[in-house]
Amino acid sequence: MIVSIITPSFNSSKFIRETHQSILNQTHKNWEWLITDDGSSDGSWDLLTQWAKEDSRIKPQLNSKNSGAAVSRNNAIKRAKGDILAFLDSDDIWLETKLERHLAFMEKNNANISFTPYYLIDETGKDLNRVIDQACSGIYNYNDMLKKRATMGCCTVMVRKSAFPDVYMPLVRAGQDYALWLKLLKSNTSAHIFNVPLSKYRIVAGSLSRNKYKKALKIWQVYREIEQLNIFKALYVFNHYAIRALFKLNETKFDKNLDSKR
């Protein structure tokens, strides 16, 4: 089974070599890497074209102008030949059995959307001793994900393309992955979690994931502008999101306090 790996890239030369190597290391070898560069100026495109010459499974494309991650991902999805879409950003890493084990789980459970827990690493690749979504289990429907009962990290998600009429991300500058998961879950399906961490998510200084205020604004934008929830429903589900985000923040502080005592 061909897995189409969907990756947006913009000035990624600092990290993308590790991402590339983690794909090459996969025990499941039947994949294509559809990576769309968004007008990088740091030599990323040169790396991609060189790798493509060495491996026909690597298929880079260059946007005509800088357009953002949603457009870049959608350009890759349009070119996908595989029925399984696997999402991986250009600074994240997969463990070598990610595709093999996750595919087997999806087939066994007849899952159309699936995700896993994931490790957090810093810019240097150092393990931050945290696993996100590790306490999650079972399946998650649309209302569960409105309340953000799971993080559903982009680098962990796999989608069966043929199960949905539209797998393209909404054209927003941030939060487009979350908006896509909600769109897919609306079609009377659920996301299955395979409770084994198989990815490493890199925390980069200046990223949206480090700015909780901006991230909260983007979540609110998804609720109101894309999902078009009325103000009362939006406030209700946002309250669930905020409580969970606060819990995670306190959990991070607790972990740091533990580290300082070791």
Side-chain angles (χ1 to χ4, degrees):
M1 180 181 293
I2 299 175
V3 177
S4 296
I5 303 167
I6 308 301
T7 301
S9 171
F10 178 68
N11 289 343
S12 303
S13 62
K14 184 177 180 181
F15 305 118
I16 201 169
R17 292 176 178 85
E18 291 180 72
T19 304
H20 172 231
Q21 191 60 52
S22 80
I23 294 173
L24 293 181
N25 290 345
Q26 290 301 300
T27 53
H28 179 87
K29 301 297 184 182
N30 194 8
W31 50 259
E32 58 174 358
W33 189 19
L34 303 168
I35 180 165
T36 305
D37 189 86
D38 204 20
S40 295
S41 58
D42 69 341
S44 297
W45 178 247
D46 293 334
L47 280 175
L48 297 176
T49 53
Q50 180 58 44
W51 293 338
K53 292 176 183 177
E54 299 167 357
D55 190 332
S56 62
R57 297 173 298 176
I58 299 174
K59 302 171 182 179
Q61 187 176 73
L62 183 64
N63 284 341
S64 58
K65 61 179 181 179
N66 182 266
S67 304
V71 169
S72 296
R73 288 186 177 116
N74 286 344
N75 285 347
I77 291 169
K78 287 177 185 176
R79 298 183 287 129
K81 294 181 179 178
D83 190 39
I84 298 294
L85 305 178
F87 295 86
L88 180 65
D89 284 354
S90 57
D91 53 358
D92 296 331
I93 298 169
W94 281 341
L95 275 63
E96 64 182 15
T97 58
K98 152 70 177 176
L99 292 181
E100 180 182 4
R101 297 182 69 186
H102 203 169
L103 271 174
F105 172 85
M106 289 184 71
E107 293 306 302
K108 180 180 178 180
N109 292 275
N110 196 28
N112 293 326
I113 312 175
S114 183
F115 65 104
T116 76
Y118 57 96
Y119 300 102
L120 294 184
I121 59 175
D122 68 10
E123 286 195 52
T124 67
K126 179 183 177 182
D127 188 351
L128 295 177
N129 298 315
R130 287 195 64 203
V131 182
I132 305 301
D133 282 349
Q134 191 171 36
C136 296
S137 62
I139 60 175
Y140 292 80
N141 61 26
Y142 174 73
N143 285 320
D144 292 328
M145 287 310 300
L146 271 181
K147 298 175 183 178
K148 294 288 283 185
R149 287 183 170 166
T151 303
M152 206 169 172
C154 189
C155 64
T156 79
V157 175
M158 293 173 61
V159 172
R160 194 181 307 275
K161 186 174 60 172
S162 61
F164 305 98
D166 179 5
V167 293
Y168 297 110
M169 291 194 169
L171 297 180
V172 290
R173 276 283 177 170
Q176 66 273 165
D177 50 344
Y178 177 50
L180 175 60
W181 314 150
L182 291 176
K183 181 172 75 170
L184 298 180
L185 290 171
K186 272 184 177 178
S187 61
N188 196 30
T189 191
S190 297
H192 295 241
I193 183 167
F194 176 35
N195 200 268
V196 178
L198 296 170
S199 305
K200 296 181 180 182
Y201 177 85
R202 194 184 303 270
I203 302 293
V204 178
S207 68
L208 182 63
S209 59
R210 294 295 295 269
N211 191 316
K212 302 301 182 185
Y213 176 70
K214 287 184 178 180
K215 187 174 182 179
L217 286 179
K218 293 301 179 183
I219 294 292
W220 183 254
Q221 181 187 17
V222 169
Y223 289 157
R224 294 288 283 154
E225 297 180 17
I226 299 177
E227 294 307 302
Q228 298 185 341
L229 303 181
N230 66 52
I231 187 68
F232 301 106
K233 181 65 177 288
L235 285 170
Y236 172 71
V237 294
F238 187 82
N239 183 58
H240 281 267
Y241 158 74
I243 290 172
R244 292 178 186 279
L246 181 61
F247 176 78
K248 287 181 181 179
L249 180 62
N250 289 335
E251 182 184 70
T252 302
K253 291 178 179 177
F254 180 70
D255 287 346
K256 288 180 179 177
N257 290 336
L258 283 179
D259 288 341
S260 68
K261 294 176 183 178
R262 288 171 183 165

